[in-house]
Amino acid sequence: MTIPKDSKIYVAGHRGLVGSAIVRRLESGGYTNLVVRTHQELDLLDQASVNTFFESEKPEYVFLAAAMVGGIQANNTYPAEFIYENLMVQNNVMHAAHKEGAKWFCFLGSSCIYPRDCPQPIKEEYFLSGPLEKTNEPYAVAKIAGIELCNVYNQGDGTRFVSVMPTNLYGPNDHYDLAKSHVLPALIRKVHEAKLRGDSELVVWGSGKPYREFLYVDDMADACIFLMENGVEEGMYNVGVGEDVTIRELAETVMDVIGFQGQIVFDASKPDGTPRKLMDVSQMTGLGWRSTTTIRRGIDLAYKDFLKQSIST
Ligand SMILES: NC(=O)C1=CN([C@@H]2O[C@H](COP(=O)(O)OP(=O)(O)OC[C@H]3O[C@@H](n4cnc5c(N)ncnc54)[C@H](OP(=O)(O)O)[C@@H]3O)[C@@H](O)[C@H]2O)C=CC1
Ligand SMILES: C[C@H]1O[C@H](OP(=O)(O)OP(=O)(O)OC[C@H]2O[C@@H](n3cnc4c(=O)[nH]c(N)nc43)[C@H](O)[C@@H]2O)[C@@H](O)[C@@H](O)C1=O
């Protein structure tokens, strides 16, 4: 399906990890009519402002990459904010897009919507088949409500809603605040600082035994735009690389890329979270999409971005 390059496309959350990658990918793909608003310009928690924005801009395509997002500790510390803000933002944006006649909408879910003890790799059909992981249940419940909203709106006419379920993401514009970040940016920062201090140890949370799958964010953006350009009009799609590593292996790779040779020490007072959440990505590969960035190359690129962010702050 050919999408005119001057189609009006709204990217919500365009300064975040995923939103900024979607903007990069749209711009490099020749799209010329992007609409963006900073958090300060448009608070997506405010339904009236969101309605006014959609009434005046009437975007044809929408990528919802604005959300309250964080790692295991942030999710554990702010459960009320994670469910409340995500429900509000997604309800406001999806409903306004539907009301104002957007053609196509991409909702960003997460791999944590699947049951904690799912068979691996996780197929889309395992959705709602068992209990969730407790460390991110409020966030997951909000995302599950978003997926359901996409499904029920698709039962009628109007906007076509597609939901994508990314695995753990990383890359440019990630967040390096250790209390809130995900594991990969946290390890980049910790290893960098340990190297600068000349430490002999690196503290890694939990047991190091959980498995996680890591997707470079530009590949994630590419997957979203692939779905838009290929006329995919409904359904949920796992997006990942199809293989995972243990947290210990991840820490070793980050140490290797950054050039730090200390001893890994595990902090058992911190939670492990889900033991494993490897995505089955055969729906996406069946459509003709697969990720292209290896984890080593991705960590190298992310580390360069971290250094750039450190210099500019
Ligand atoms: N990062 C990951 O590993 C994963 C992310 N996802 C999903 O991808 C999507 C994007 O996540 P990611 O890019 O990592 O998150 P980020 O935190 O990097 O970006 C989120 C963006 O949303 C904006 N935002 C948040 N609340 C509001 C609001 N009330 N009004 C306006 N803007 C707001 C933020 O602006 P500001 O910073 O100014 O508040 C920020 O720019 C989310 O839906 C997330 O659940 C899914 C799986 C994994
Ligand atoms: C994307 C996904 O992200 C979140 O789920 P998560 O994958 O469990 O989150 P995480 O990246 O923070 O941790 C992954 C693993 O890594 C270990 N770990 C080691 N050392 C550090 C460390 O220094 N920081 C962090 N954050 N984790 C560490 C940590 O103990 C855990 O075992 C969800 O909240 C949910 O929001 C979601 O969708």
Side-chain angles (χ1 to χ4, degrees):
M1 193 172 111
T2 305
I3 302 208
K5 297 291 183 186
D6 62 352
S7 301
K8 192 177 255 195
I9 305 177
Y10 170 45
V11 182
H14 71 289
R15 298 217 281 205
L17 174 69
V18 175
S20 61
I22 290 175
V23 168
R24 278 197 297 284
R25 174 63 183 76
L26 287 169
E27 285 178 345
S28 69
Y31 293 94
T32 55
N33 194 5
L34 307 191
V35 183
V36 293
R37 293 289 184 279
T38 63
H39 192 158
Q40 213 179 12
E41 289 163 345
L42 176 62
D43 184 355
L44 300 172
L45 291 171
D46 178 351
Q47 188 178 29
S49 304
V50 173
N51 286 342
T52 305
F53 167 76
F54 271 88
E55 279 157 23
S56 66
E57 291 293 344
K58 296 197 188 308
E60 297 164 89
Y61 296 83
V62 179
F63 292 89
L64 177 53
M68 177 154 182
V69 185
I72 196 163
Q73 179 155 301
N75 270 270
N76 253 344
T77 314
Y78 308 104
E81 288 83 349
F82 271 89
I83 188 165
Y84 171 78
E85 293 199 12
N86 285 315
L87 282 172
M88 292 297 284
V89 165
Q90 70 202 32
N91 281 347
N92 289 344
V93 177
M94 281 193 230
H95 186 67
H98 182 65
K99 201 153 56 95
E100 294 306 324
K103 287 184 186 148
W104 189 88
F105 193 109
C106 179
F107 173 63
L108 271 285
S110 168
S111 58
C112 71
I113 55 112
Y114 291 111
R116 178 182 200 270
D117 297 315
C118 249
Q120 307 283 321
I122 304 172
K123 294 180 190 295
E124 288 87 348
E125 69 200 49
Y126 302 155
F127 182 51
L128 292 181
S129 63
L132 299 165
E133 156 63 27
K134 288 291 167 202
T135 54
N136 53 39
E137 192 169 78
Y139 170 80
V141 167
K143 294 289 185 188
I144 288 169
I147 296 163
E148 285 295 297
L149 198 55
C150 291
N151 293 341
V152 294
Y153 277 150
N154 280 340
Q155 286 169 16
D157 293 334
T159 315
R160 298 293 91 194
F161 288 86
V162 169
S163 34
V164 291
M165 299 309 124
T167 186
N168 293 42
L169 305 171
Y170 68 102
N173 298 319
D174 211 338
H175 309 281
Y176 298 95
D177 169 349
L178 295 179
K180 294 187 185 159
S181 66
H182 290 101
V183 61
L184 190 29
L187 288 177
I188 287 176
R189 177 170 174 179
K190 284 180 174 179
V191 171
H192 172 78
E193 291 178 352
K195 182 182 169 185
L196 287 189
R197 288 191 300 260
D199 290 356
S200 56
E201 290 183 345
L202 173 78
V203 177
V204 174
W205 293 357
S207 65
K209 291 181 182 152
Y211 283 83
R212 291 290 183 276
E213 180 186 6
F214 296 94
L215 178 70
Y216 189 66
V217 72
D218 286 67
D219 286 346
M220 181 66 222
D222 190 62
C224 295
I225 288 144
F226 173 90
L227 291 168
M228 177 180 85
E229 290 183 335
N230 282 276
V232 173
E233 295 203 325
E234 59 182 21
M236 64 190 271
Y237 296 85
N238 289 346
V239 186
V241 296
E243 55 190 50
D244 55 6
V245 293
T246 64
I247 296 300
R248 176 193 278 278
E249 287 164 343
L250 177 73
E252 288 167 350
T253 307
V254 174
M255 287 165 64
D256 203 34
V257 169
I258 297 181
F260 170 70
Q261 282 143 357
Q263 181 79 26
I264 297 178
V265 176
F266 292 103
D267 176 357
S269 72
K270 293 287 198 288
D272 269 346
T274 309
R276 193 174 192 193
K277 44 179 175 178
L278 176 64
M279 296 291 223
D280 180 313
V281 290
S282 50
Q283 267 207 137
M284 285 300 286
T285 53
L287 289 173
W289 183 89
R290 63 179 65 244
S291 68
T292 57
T293 312
T294 63
I295 189 159
R296 237 195 128 76
R297 164 110 181 109
I299 292 173
D300 191 41
L301 292 168
Y303 181 47
K304 289 193 169 81
D305 176 69
F306 167 78
L307 292 175
K308 212 164 71 189
Q309 280 199 37
S310 319
I311 291 162
S312 62
T313 49

